[in-house]
Amino acid sequence: MDVRICSKVACGAGASATLTYDYADSMVVVGPLSTRVEPHGYDLCARHAATLRVPRGWQVIRRDPPPRTPDRTPS
């Protein structure tokens, strides 16, 4: 599997979130790293995802990754 890096120029950190825009609703959604590269999504590192700034009047929706379930080990 290829390592995906942050889409921000000059940032070489590994991506941990994916950002998508909804222009019609003036909304930005930041969620867990998508499972595949999408043409209208932008991969961001944790720092850039946390410090994201959007135009005035736009809404930011942050979606947390689903909780991990513990691996079951045979008894």
Side-chain angles (χ1 to χ4, degrees), residues 4-62:
R4 290 161 52 185
I5 61 168
C6 184
S7 296
K8 289 289 196 172
V9 176
C11 181
S16 63
T18 298
L19 172 145
T20 54
Y21 291 101
D22 181 343
Y23 292 99
D25 292 326
S26 300
M27 183 177 5
V28 174
V29 180
V30 179
L33 189 62
S34 63
T35 56
R36 62 179 187 237
V37 176
E38 298 289 340
H40 301 290
Y42 300 89
D43 294 340
L44 298 175
C45 66
R47 180 174 66 95
H48 284 117
T51 60
L52 176 71
R53 296 185 58 156
V54 299
R56 184 176 296 147
W58 282 54
Q59 180 180 9
V60 177
I61 305 294
R62 294 188 183 274

